[in-house]
Amino acid sequence: RLIRGDMNTLKRGIMTGELPGEDNPDSVAKNLRSLRNRLDSLEETQLEILSLMKSYKMKQNSKKKKELKDKNQVSQAFEKKQYIYIIRSHETVLKKYAKDKKTQAQLKFFYAESLFKVGRLRDAAIAYDELISHSTENLKEKVPFAYLRMGDSLRLLGDKKSASIYYHDLLENFPNSVEASLAKDDSARAKVL
């Protein structure tokens, strides 16, 4: 009879969602109610956080992304270490100077170095390789630096063998350059050579 009464109480509790024994401090019902209250509170807080995140994202999206328009702005952005703006605006600014090979070479250098500075090493290696391959009188003074950075990019990517080729080419083709002395003296580069 006692068991039957307990079973009926349990059935009622299951149907109503209220388990018997909430007045007992050690009861499962009291612990479940406490957990349910904490979960409800957590869900409310989570909704508030999601709401704040949405409003923040809307503010971020409403801000206009900075777009560089000419070589002077690119140069200033480079001095201010605003590399992301240079990367983002590269194609647009480069098209503007399609007939000016010297300016294009300078812009390509800023682009390659910006890629390196933000850690996009594969893209930087490709950009530096293009500078080396298409170097003319317009960028002659930057070629040793491009060799050094090409080696650095490859070394940092874990390709020490290819990096050593660029370091050796730098030492062979520009032995008296500052970059050649850097390639010789830097202990990290020396391990590759």
Side-chain angles (χ1 to χ4, degrees), residues 78 108-117 128 145 149:
F78 191 78
K108 287 179 182 180
F109 172 77
F110 286 138
Y111 176 68
E113 187 64 6
S114 295
L115 290 168
F116 183 84
K117 294 288 189 175
Y128 279 117
F145 189 80
R149 278 295 199 234

Side-chain angles (χ1 to χ4, degrees), residues 5-23 27-34 36-37 40:
D6 286 342
M7 291 298 282
N8 287 335
T9 305
L10 187 58
K11 282 181 188 177
R12 233 178 320 178
I14 290 172
M15 292 173 71
T16 63
E18 302 288 326
L19 292 176
E22 277 196 57
D23 50 345
S27 74
V28 172
K30 185 167 185 125
N31 289 337
L32 285 175
R33 171 142 338 257
S34 173
R36 189 178 311 136
N37 290 339
D40 288 344

